[in-house]
Amino acid sequence: MWYVIEGYDGADVLAARLAARADHLARLTALRDAGRLLLAGPCPAIDSEDPGPAGFSGSVVIAAFDSLEAAQAWAQADPYVDAGVYVRVQVRPFRKVLP
């Protein structure tokens, strides 16, 4: 089943986000290579593709897992959680309808 994982950034975490980014992306790449990633990306803190020093307000990942518990465990092991980038992570089941 698909699950949407929303990570919410804390204040002034851009440097920590950048430091943990390679490890974060490696986990997403592994999901993609396994055919389990629908989409992933950051949410700019301002209305801009490149928010610069404003940074990001969080990220969204939609990926397939065997259960809600497996998705939650994967989300809690994210390098952004370990680095203190995400102050909150929410995981919910997701049903793809379109396209």
Side-chain angles (χ1 to χ4, degrees):
M1 179 164 189
W2 295 110
Y3 294 89
V4 60
I5 300 167
E6 296 176 276
Y8 297 87
D9 285 20
D12 300 318
V13 295
L14 184 57
R17 178 183 262 274
L18 294 174
R21 186 171 189 265
D23 292 336
H24 171 77
L25 291 178
R27 296 177 82 236
L28 293 171
T29 299
L31 284 178
R32 181 201 64 199
D33 292 350
R36 297 173 46 204
L37 183 65
L38 184 62
L39 66 86
C43 301
I46 60 173
D47 190 14
S48 173
E49 280 284 320
D50 181 2
F56 300 90
S57 62
S59 302
V60 174
V61 174
I62 300 178
F65 293 92
D66 291 335
S67 67
L68 177 60
E69 293 78 16
Q72 290 169 329
W74 186 90
Q76 287 304 316
D78 193 289
Y80 284 173
V81 172
D82 293 340
V85 174
Y86 293 159
V87 294
R88 181 169 63 97
V89 177
Q90 183 176 19
V91 181
R92 296 177 288 153
F94 178 80
R95 189 176 71 151
K96 183 178 184 270
V97 175
L98 294 171

